[in-house]
């Protein structure tokens, strides 16, 4: 049996429990055809880059699958029929990753390299000259309104 990673997007107005029910439904399809589903990750509700069927957000879910091609074909056929599934993608892999996927790994902002190198913070602007043409017009005195 081959190894696959399968990601699908579900509609934004579904609850997390309904998305879990979808995962269980497709897990049952795979197991009915003699396959196994390993890791299942629910990535949650995320914004889409562009609208898909009038949806601006979608629930993302990842499944690691060990199954035959017929099982994958049947699962994808059922996803095409289901209106709750916006998009799906199945990719054959050599081996499943250990641990959480890249989407689930928490990256700290301080650990990421800065794009601008070692540019000083904005607090170092005291030596700049004032802009020309700014403030050279005299102000009119304020009239008190009674």
């Amino acid at each position: 049996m081959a190894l696959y990673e399968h990601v699908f997007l579900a509609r934004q107005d579904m609850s997390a429990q309904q998305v879990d029910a979808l995962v269980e439904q497709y897990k049952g399809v795979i197991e009915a055809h003699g396959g196994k589903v390993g890791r299942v990750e629910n990535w949650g509700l995320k914004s889409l880059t562009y609208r898909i069927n009038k949806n601006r957000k979608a629930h993302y879910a990842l499944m690691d699958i060990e199954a035959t091609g017929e099982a994958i074909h049947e699962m994808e056929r059922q996803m095409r029929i289901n209106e709750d599934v916006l998009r799906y993608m199945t990719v054959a892999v050599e081996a499943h990753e250990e641990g959480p996927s890249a989407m689930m790994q928490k990256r700290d902002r301080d650990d990421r390299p800065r794009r601008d190198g070692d540019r000083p913070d904005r607090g170092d602007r005291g030596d700049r000259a004032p802009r020309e043409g700014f403030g050279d017009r005299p102000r009119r005195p304020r009239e008190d309104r009674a």
Side-chain angles (χ1 to χ4, degrees):
M1 282 193 275
L3 301 176
Y4 299 94
E5 284 185 0
H6 179 80
V7 178
F8 71 92
L9 282 65
R11 288 185 309 133
Q12 65 186 0
D13 56 348
M14 295 180 67
S15 68
Q17 291 82 16
Q18 290 173 317
V19 175
D20 291 339
L22 273 180
V23 169
E24 290 302 318
Q25 174 186 346
Y26 297 126
K27 194 174 181 181
V29 170
I30 295 295
E31 290 170 354
H33 285 82
K36 291 189 299 188
V37 176
R39 171 181 63 173
V40 175
E41 288 183 356
N42 188 351
W43 294 344
L45 187 66
K46 297 191 172 292
S47 295
L48 298 172
T49 305
Y50 55 91
R51 279 199 276 171
I52 301 172
N53 296 340
K54 299 183 181 177
N55 290 287
R56 293 188 180 276
K57 293 185 176 190
H59 291 275
Y60 285 68
L62 166 77
M63 298 189 300
D64 284 347
I65 301 172
E66 181 179 349
T68 61
E70 292 83 23
I72 299 296
H73 183 70
E74 176 61 21
M75 180 184 65
E76 289 181 348
R77 185 188 72 79
Q78 290 188 15
M79 284 191 172
R80 278 193 297 273
I81 295 171
N82 194 339
E83 292 178 357
D84 293 332
V85 177
L86 300 175
R87 294 281 192 275
Y88 61 87
M89 181 171 66
T90 307
V91 178
V93 294
E94 296 290 325
H96 289 138
E97 290 181 4
E98 295 296 323
S101 66
M103 292 292 286
M104 296 299 286
Q105 292 174 357
K106 183 178 179 193
R107 292 183 55 177
D108 192 15
R109 285 184 69 117
D110 298 334
D111 293 342
R112 288 186 283 183
R114 290 179 57 172
R115 288 186 286 160
D116 57 358
D118 292 326
R119 189 176 73 180
D121 291 334
R122 293 184 176 195
D124 299 345
R125 294 184 176 185
D127 58 345
R128 289 192 345 191
R131 294 186 337 208
E132 289 190 32
F134 183 75
D136 56 350
R137 190 171 65 187
R139 297 187 75 173
R140 290 190 334 207
R142 201 173 212 195
E143 295 178 13
D144 291 335
R145 295 182 183 165

